[in-house]
Amino acid sequence: MKEKLLAEFSKIFGGDGQAELFFSPGRVNLIGEHTDYNGGHVFPCALTIGTYGAVRKREDRKLRLYSMNFSGTGIWETSLDELTPCPEDRWTNYPKGVLWALQEKGYEVPFGFDLLVYGNIPNGSGLSSSASLEVLIGTIAKKFYGLDMLTMEEIAKIGQYSENHYNGVNCGIMDQFAVAMGKKNHAIYLDTATLEYEYAPLELGDARIVIACSNKKRGLADSAYNTRRSECETALQELQQVVKVDTLGDLSEEEFEQYKDAIKDPVRVRRARHAVYENQRTRKAAEALKKGDLAEFGRLMNESHVSLRDDYEVTGIELDTLAETAWEQPGVIGSRMTGAGFGGCTVSIVKNDAIDDFIENVGRKYESVIGYAADFYVVEAGDGARRLSK
Ligand code: ADP
Ligand code: MG
């Protein structure tokens, strides 16, 4: 892979292999969905698949950007003095946004670079290829501009800031945090309200993480996401009339049941119920994993999917077919949708000796119901973004 990237870099930008190599992972959220903007917990891990960058400093302020995943549009040439978002600039709005955000936050970005990008995670599928790309740029900037004070956590925040303000995507902190702070064979139990976090060993024994990508584009996702956010905000305000809480994540299940009548609309009750119960499930799931109780972890994953399907209503036939078919397969410990929903992926924990049949059976059923194929990735929890030795 490294040789291939360096060779491709030389082909595109000239020179002979003086580029430096960086890698930034994708991430999958194991449990804790739609809790991040409700002051709750999430439980993602970084993956061993992600986004590679081969990059070389320039003497001037030019940026030359090329993605092997979008090779048809060739080299994009721009400059550090032209950092304004523009839809025609397509994917380059992500790297440009991070360089803009760094400067907004007072970091000096004195010179440009030539960058070749290659991602082996699917784009737009909820494995956070966008956060992966942002944190890749932050990691390159830290090294190139000597920004030693810039911690990986700060890089995550800058990535989120750029996605929010440069790319206009209202995302929480989970994606960039998981990508920047990932640790091999660990998941991150993260409190999105405080950014307190803890690494939990992801000891899956004779099982692995299998991601099934629905290949359904998330057409509805953005507007539905905003609706869900505002439904939860309204439900919180209603609850605040009767109980002192800052977020839905502050409530236990019992407290929610006690106070839920303050929410004046049955749909909003279900939305808030998901936020509260999902947060508690995430806490229990992290504990189960600590105790090595994988069966309980899987059960909570399944419950999470049901709650996202019935209470939060963000699954859809594609993700339901993948998860519900997974539940019927032997050797499946747990399976649920992951990411914002409506399209994107499911995450399953499957016993090694059942993985081949799992992929075949779930794949066949999916294609017969939906009419096109799903893609499967057997993945591992990997380290966060970093420079690679050549
Ligand atoms: P997700 O983050 O779930 O993968 P997004 O829609 O948030 O989906 O981000 C996908 C976008 O990120 C792509 O359309 C592209 O603009 C950018 N991107 C991600 N990976 C790459 C890559 N390897 N090369 C160029 N652009 C990329
Ligand atoms: Mg994204």
Side-chain angles (χ1 to χ4, degrees):
M1 174 69 84
K2 291 177 184 173
E3 292 76 33
K4 205 177 124 207
L5 288 168
L6 291 171
E8 192 70 14
F9 182 92
S10 299
K11 201 173 103 197
I12 300 295
F13 293 115
D16 47 5
Q18 307 112 336
E20 296 186 44
L21 294 175
F22 291 80
F23 174 76
S24 178
R27 70 97 185 91
V28 68
N29 190 24
L30 297 172
I31 191 163
E33 216 64 74
H34 286 282
T35 48
D36 58 342
Y37 50 85
N38 285 310
H41 290 83
V42 292
F43 200 48
C45 61
L47 299 173
T48 44
I49 50 177
T51 313
Y52 290 84
V55 57
R56 184 174 61 199
K57 290 178 189 174
R58 295 184 60 89
E59 310 263 304
D60 55 20
R61 291 176 61 77
K62 267 192 206 157
L63 294 165
R64 290 198 296 166
L65 309 168
Y66 179 88
S67 171
M68 289 167 68
N69 301 89
F70 297 93
S71 56
T73 49
I75 300 177
W76 294 78
E77 195 166 312
T78 178
S79 129
L80 290 169
D81 303 313
E82 289 168 25
L83 301 180
T84 34
C86 175
E88 288 89 80
D89 292 346
R90 307 282 194 84
W91 69 271
T92 65
N93 281 311
Y94 290 99
K96 290 197 319 174
V98 174
L99 297 167
W100 168 85
L102 279 164
Q103 296 181 85
E104 285 287 299
K105 299 279 180 191
Y107 296 100
E108 213 186 322
V109 178
F111 54 83
F113 49 74
D114 294 340
L115 170 70
L116 173 129
V117 177
Y118 169 68
N120 58 1
I121 20 172
N123 283 162
S125 297
L127 300 184
S128 274
S129 68
S130 61
S132 175
L133 180 55
E134 289 151 14
V135 172
L136 179 79
I137 303 301
T139 310
I140 291 169
K142 178 179 163 85
K143 172 72 181 27
F144 272 19
Y145 307 135
L147 304 175
D148 297 336
M149 63 304 223
L150 189 62
T151 60
M152 291 312 286
E153 200 172 318
E154 188 60 22
I155 288 178
K157 287 186 197 161
I158 284 170
Q160 183 202 12
Y161 186 85
S162 75
E163 185 148 346
N164 290 166
H165 298 287
Y166 198 93
N167 294 284
V169 179
N170 198 6
C171 60
I173 186 66
M174 165 171 67
D175 299 353
Q176 291 81 4
F177 197 95
V179 166
M181 304 291 287
K183 187 168 162 183
K184 189 174 166 47
N185 295 331
H186 286 74
I188 309 174
Y189 181 60
L190 172 68
D191 182 336
T192 56
T194 61
L195 291 196
E196 273 171 51
Y197 67 97
E198 202 184 319
Y199 290 111
L202 200 54
E203 276 156 21
L204 300 180
D206 59 352
R208 304 273 296 271
I209 301 170
V210 183
I211 289 167
C213 181
S214 69
N215 289 322
K216 157 100 193 292
K217 291 296 162 212
R218 302 173 304 192
L220 262 175
D222 292 347
S223 66
Y225 179 84
N226 291 332
T227 314
R228 295 298 180 279
R229 277 188 86 135
S230 69
E231 286 166 340
C232 286
E233 268 163 39
T234 308
L236 174 64
Q237 284 161 8
E238 292 169 305
L239 286 164
Q240 283 170 333
Q241 305 295 316
V242 294
V243 56
K244 201 176 163 311
V245 280
D246 293 327
T247 69
L248 293 175
D250 291 342
L251 288 167
S252 67
E253 291 118 321
E254 295 73 25
E255 286 166 330
F256 177 76
E257 296 303 332
Q258 187 183 340
Y259 297 118
K260 69 179 181 206
D261 293 342
I263 305 172
K264 293 297 169 228
D265 173 86
V267 173
R268 280 201 299 277
V269 173
R270 287 193 284 121
R271 305 299 190 241
R273 183 164 63 205
H274 169 77
V276 171
Y277 277 67
E278 180 76 355
N279 182 43
Q280 296 300 330
R281 260 192 298 276
T282 306
R283 186 178 57 73
K284 290 177 199 163
E287 271 167 28
L289 203 59
K290 257 193 218 162
K291 282 192 255 154
D293 189 348
L294 209 54
E296 172 69 0
F297 189 82
R299 199 187 59 73
L300 291 161
M301 285 176 80
N302 298 349
E303 253 184 45
S304 165
H305 185 90
V306 170
S307 176
L308 288 155
R309 183 188 69 191
D310 299 344
D311 276 351
Y312 221 62
E313 295 183 280
V314 291
T315 55
I317 184 163
E318 294 82 5
L319 294 172
D320 287 338
T321 303
L322 287 173
E324 289 164 13
T325 313
W327 297 339
E328 294 163 4
Q329 305 304 311
V332 172
I333 293 163
S335 183
R336 59 179 287 275
M337 62 151 269
T338 184
F342 295 102
C345 300
T346 60
V347 57
S348 308
I349 299 181
V350 186
K351 293 252 167 121
N352 288 336
D353 57 12
I355 290 178
D356 288 347
D357 287 345
F358 172 90
I359 292 175
E360 171 152 358
N361 295 341
V362 178
R364 192 181 332 103
K365 178 72 182 278
Y366 184 79
E367 197 163 347
S368 77
V369 175
I370 305 299
Y372 52 84
D375 288 319
F376 293 85
Y377 301 81
V378 182
V379 296
E380 274 159 62
D383 283 320
R386 59 200 181 268
R387 183 169 172 229
L388 300 176
S389 59
K390 276 194 207 168

